[in-house]
């Protein structure tokens, strides 16, 4: 057996040597003319994008690199990028305090360093690897001056350097305000590159970095149009989004002024977002539509990266014009118009959506609003007749134009229906603690001795700082909790709220390990009660996963005039304790 074992050992050594040789060394050097990134000894300027849409199109447009925010599916991303001749700045996600991570907790820090260690060991030899990016805006949105966070980030960077001396380290901050320059440039010796996410103020970064005393090179790790927090707003507070044509100009301005305009310090950039997502609106930041069509900003990047014009440019689009103004009475009709250079084969889809009112920064997942029915008529490529809803409140009209070449253009405009708004949606049953909530979790049922409820758990909330943790320790039987108004009401008191207009109730839930069984629904009090719920509906039983998942019950056409019990949840016992986490329980229009 010895020759076989020895042969296997030699094969393993040979395989590991081949794998080690496959890594492409990358270093940051300072020359007489400024900072430079070298890959395999050759100058390398990053022309990249963050996201996972078509790598083939990215390479064809002259791009050379991809950025990720975590190591989720990193092997597949690295392989796919390598197949298209692209490199990868591989993000290692570091916990955010707003998601419950506590940098004062030694156990959490140690566990996070272990995740860093595992990621580096697993991917350090991949030939597509360019840079390790430790964290994304984990410093928070204030002054970014928590010394515990920065000490941990630098410790993580030191670990990366010990495990992989062949690839530089970077950390990514939200802009450069507060003490970010101090901590990244002066007090984090293991960080080689400052990654900066910047939007409306990106073009002025070189001057501001110089004024702040920045000494290290930087990469703009996210750039794009001005964010919702940076633009003018309507009288009712709705931000004005640029058209896709105007966004293309914004990408160009940032690239020319802050990236190639400062080659002494800038090592390149990653445009945001090489894909699509709902943030601000469904179209604010994506370089593609959800259905895959490319927008004009990709053409601008194509020209900036390659020096060549795309063969089939995306169509232009003007802001939407409404002669009758943007504020209307309930049910009022008007014509919306735009102009474009698209040909006759183009098609424009018009949608009226409720205003989201969710423009928080941070990039957390948002749900796409549901379009208002029976609001859009007589559509053409450049016009549509709009009939405003009877429900007063804020809305937004979207125009999405698609041509025959796989390209698109987008525009939208905030609108208002005058009148007393009444119920404003979403209406929360639970959101980041019970303070200010209309209903109380007072209706405990079943084996309540084995049941506990904590409303401010910070382990890993879906959004905000807190979530609900519900725990059932019995090995059999069940327990349930009903949210009630008035509290402790079983149908003998008046109360409840009129939620007419809601289209669904939704929640986010996860289990501690996965496999936990829950049943949930809306309504509990039937017609036999003196004061019943006006609707009773149940979701089919759910087996949870350990990741946050969204669940909903449709409510269109249901009587929602008296919602006394908006949420009831039942858990079932098993051989080990059942722990369920709940967050963002809400009624949505």
């Amino acid at each position: 057996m010895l020759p076989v074992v020895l042969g296997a050992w030699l094969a393993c050594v040979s395989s590991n040597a081949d794998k080690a040789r496959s890594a492409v060394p990358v270093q940051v050097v300072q020359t007489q003319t400024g900072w430079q990134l070298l890959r395999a000894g050759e100058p390398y300027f990053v022309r990249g994008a963050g996201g996972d849409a078509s790598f083939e199109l990215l390479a064809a447009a002259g791009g050379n690199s991809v950025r990720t925010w975590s190591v989720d599916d990193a092997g597949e991303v690295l392989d796919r990028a390598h197949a298209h001749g692209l490199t990868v700045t591989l993000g290692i996600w570091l916990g955010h305090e707003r998601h419950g991570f506590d940098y004062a907790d030694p156990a959490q820090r140690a566990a996070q360093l272990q995740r860093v260690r595992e990621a580096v060991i697993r991917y350090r030899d991949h030939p597509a690897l360019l840079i390790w990016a430790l964290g994304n805006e984990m410093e928070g949105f204030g002054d970014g001056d928590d010394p515990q966070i920065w000490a941990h980030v630098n410790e993580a960077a030191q670990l990366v350097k010990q495990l992989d001396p062949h690839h530089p380290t970077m950390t990514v901050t939200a802009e450069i305000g507060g003490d970010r320059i101090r901590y990244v440039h002066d007090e984090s010796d293991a960080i080689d590159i400052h990654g900066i996410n910047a939007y409306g103020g990106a073009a002025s970064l070189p001057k501001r970095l110089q004024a702040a005393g920045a000494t290290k090179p930087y990469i703009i790790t996210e750039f794009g149009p001005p964010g919702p927090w940076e633009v003018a707003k309507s009288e009712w507070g709705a931000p004005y989004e640029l058209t896709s044509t105007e966004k293309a100009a914004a990408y160009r301005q940032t690239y020319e002024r802050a990236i190639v305009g400062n080659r002494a310090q800038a090592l390149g950039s990653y445009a945001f977002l090489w894909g699509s997502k709902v943030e601000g609106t469904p179209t604010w930041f994506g370089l593609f539509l959800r259905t895959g069509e490319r927008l004009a900003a990709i053409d601008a990047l194509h020209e900036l990266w390659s020096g060549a014009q795309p063969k089939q440019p995306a169509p232009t689009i003007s802001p939407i014009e409404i002669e009758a103004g943007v504020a209307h009475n309930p049910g009022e009709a008007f014509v919306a118009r735009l102009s474009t250079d698209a040909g006759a084969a183009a098609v424009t889809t018009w949608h009226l959506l409720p205003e989201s009112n969710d423009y928080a920064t941070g990039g957390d997942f948002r749900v796409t609003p549901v379009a208002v029915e029976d609001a859009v008529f007589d559509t053409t490529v450049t016009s549509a007749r709009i009939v405003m809803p009877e429900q007063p409140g804020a809305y937004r009209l979207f125009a999405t134009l698609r041509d025959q070449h796989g390209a698109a253009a987008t525009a939208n405009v905030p609108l208002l229906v005058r009148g007393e708004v009444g119920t404003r949606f979403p209406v929360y049953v639970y959101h980041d603690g019970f303070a200010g909530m209309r209903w109380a979790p007072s209706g405990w049922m079943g084996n309540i001795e084995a049941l506990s409820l904590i409303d401010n758990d910070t382990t890993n909330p879906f959004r905000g700082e807190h979530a609900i943790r519900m725990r059932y320790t019995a090995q059999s039987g069940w327990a349930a909790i009903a949210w009630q108004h008035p509290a402790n009401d079983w149908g003998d008191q008046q109360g409840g709220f009129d939620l007419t207009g809601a289209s669904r109730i939704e929640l986010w839930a996860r289990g501690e390990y996965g496999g936990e069984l829950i049943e949930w629904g809306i309504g509990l009090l039937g017609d036999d009660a003196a004061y019943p719920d006006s609707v009773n509906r149940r979701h089919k039983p759910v087996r949870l996963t350990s990741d946050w998942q969204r669940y909903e019950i449709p409510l269109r056409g249901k009587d929602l005039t008296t919602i006394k019990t908006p949420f009831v949840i039942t858990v079932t016992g098993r051989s080990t304790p059942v722990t369920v986490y709940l967050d963002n329980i809400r009624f949505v229009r």
Side-chain angles (χ1 to χ4, degrees), residues 26-66:
V26 180
Q27 59 187 137
V28 178
V29 298
Q30 191 170 20
T31 70
Q32 291 182 346
T33 58
W35 291 98
Q36 195 169 60
L37 198 65
L38 299 180
R39 183 170 184 261
E42 297 295 326
Y44 191 90
F45 192 74
V46 177
R47 304 186 303 273
D52 61 358
S54 172
F55 287 3
E56 180 180 4
L57 180 57
L58 179 60
N64 64 5
S65 194
V66 176

Side-chain angles (χ1 to χ4, degrees), residues 9 57 83 94 109 131 136 163 173 197-198 208 289 306 371 419 498-499 511 523 551 555:
W9 179 80
L57 180 57
L94 300 183
R109 295 198 310 269
I131 296 167
N136 183 77
L163 298 170
T173 65
N197 294 342
R208 291 189 287 123
L289 296 184
S306 69
D498 184 351
L499 299 187
Y551 304 94
L555 296 175

Side-chain angles (χ1 to χ4, degrees), residues 92-137:
I92 301 179
W93 186 261
L94 300 183
H96 286 213
E97 291 178 303
R98 76 175 193 276
H99 295 155
F101 194 92
D102 184 0
Y103 280 89
D105 184 346
Q108 290 191 50
R109 295 198 310 269
Q112 182 153 269
L113 286 178
Q114 180 60 27
R115 291 192 293 271
V116 172
R117 176 184 296 275
E118 292 169 356
V120 174
I121 292 174
R122 184 171 184 180
Y123 300 114
R124 63 189 172 186
D125 295 318
H126 200 288
L129 179 63
L130 183 70
I131 296 167
W132 294 106
L134 291 158
N136 183 77
E137 301 182 356

Side-chain angles (χ1 to χ4, degrees), residues 56-75:
E56 180 180 4
L57 180 57
L58 179 60
N64 64 5
S65 194
V66 176
R67 180 202 170 194
T68 76
W69 286 260
S70 74
V71 294
D72 294 344
D73 302 318

Side-chain angles (χ1 to χ4, degrees), residues 88-400:
V88 179
T89 283
L90 194 58
I92 301 179
W93 186 261
L94 300 183
H96 286 213
E97 291 178 303
R98 76 175 193 276
H99 295 155
F101 194 92
D102 184 0
Y103 280 89
D105 184 346
Q108 290 191 50
R109 295 198 310 269
Q112 182 153 269
L113 286 178
Q114 180 60 27
R115 291 192 293 271
V116 172
R117 176 184 296 275
E118 292 169 356
V120 174
I121 292 174
R122 184 171 184 180
Y123 300 114
R124 63 189 172 186
D125 295 318
H126 200 288
L129 179 63
L130 183 70
I131 296 167
W132 294 106
L134 291 158
N136 183 77
E137 301 182 356
M138 71 284 131
E139 84 281 4
F141 299 109
D143 288 335
D145 59 353
D146 186 337
Q148 293 184 108
I149 293 177
W150 289 111
H152 180 75
V153 172
N154 197 55
E155 184 181 8
Q158 290 170 342
L159 175 62
V160 172
K161 285 184 170 295
Q162 292 169 8
L163 298 170
D164 179 12
H166 303 300
H167 297 94
T169 58
M170 176 169 70
T171 194
V172 178
T173 65
E175 262 283 352
I176 64 169
D179 279 345
R180 289 166 176 82
I181 297 298
R182 168 192 163 193
Y183 279 105
V184 175
H185 294 249
D186 300 334
E187 300 192 19
S188 299
D189 59 351
I191 294 295
D192 300 313
I193 304 167
H194 189 176
I196 304 168
N197 294 342
Y199 290 89
S204 64
L205 267 177
K207 291 183 178 179
R208 291 189 287 123
L209 284 164
Q210 183 180 17
T215 57
K216 294 181 180 180
Y218 67 88
I219 292 176
I220 299 185
T221 39
E222 291 179 18
F223 75 99
W229 63 94
E230 298 173 305
V231 297
K233 295 177 174 60
S234 69
E235 293 181 4
W236 54 95
Y240 290 109
E241 180 179 346
L242 301 183
T243 69
S244 56
T245 301
E246 294 168 329
K247 290 175 187 176
Y251 279 89
R252 180 182 296 278
Q253 181 186 66
T254 292
Y255 196 84
E256 291 177 340
R257 295 187 182 181
I259 301 167
V260 296
N262 189 26
R263 290 293 292 266
Q265 197 171 10
L267 303 179
S269 63
Y270 290 94
F272 187 84
L273 169 76
W274 199 256
S276 67
K277 68 178 297 190
V278 179
E279 187 170 352
T281 71
T283 58
W284 202 292
F285 291 109
L287 289 160
F288 295 81
L289 296 184
R290 181 180 55 83
T291 46
E293 293 86 354
R294 77 180 195 281
L295 295 163
I298 292 180
D299 294 347
L301 293 170
H302 184 137
E303 183 181 354
L304 292 164
W305 289 338
S306 69
Q309 296 278 355
K311 293 181 179 179
Q312 299 288 349
T316 62
I317 193 170
S318 70
I320 297 172
E321 295 183 356
I322 302 170
E323 293 182 1
V326 293
H328 301 269
N329 295 322
E332 186 176 336
F334 59 86
V335 175
R337 292 185 173 86
L338 57 81
S339 59
T340 178
D341 63 359
V347 175
T348 301
T349 305
W350 300 78
H351 289 110
L352 184 69
L353 272 62
E355 184 66 35
S356 74
N357 296 317
D358 186 357
Y359 293 99
T361 58
D364 295 334
F365 175 83
R366 272 93 166 174
V367 176
T368 303
V370 177
V372 177
E373 297 179 352
D374 300 325
V376 178
F377 303 90
D378 305 330
T379 61
T380 71
V381 174
T382 58
S383 66
R385 184 170 65 90
I386 309 301
V387 178
M388 294 301 283
E390 294 295 332
Q391 174 68 36
Y395 297 86
R396 190 176 290 260
L397 178 64
F398 289 80
T400 305

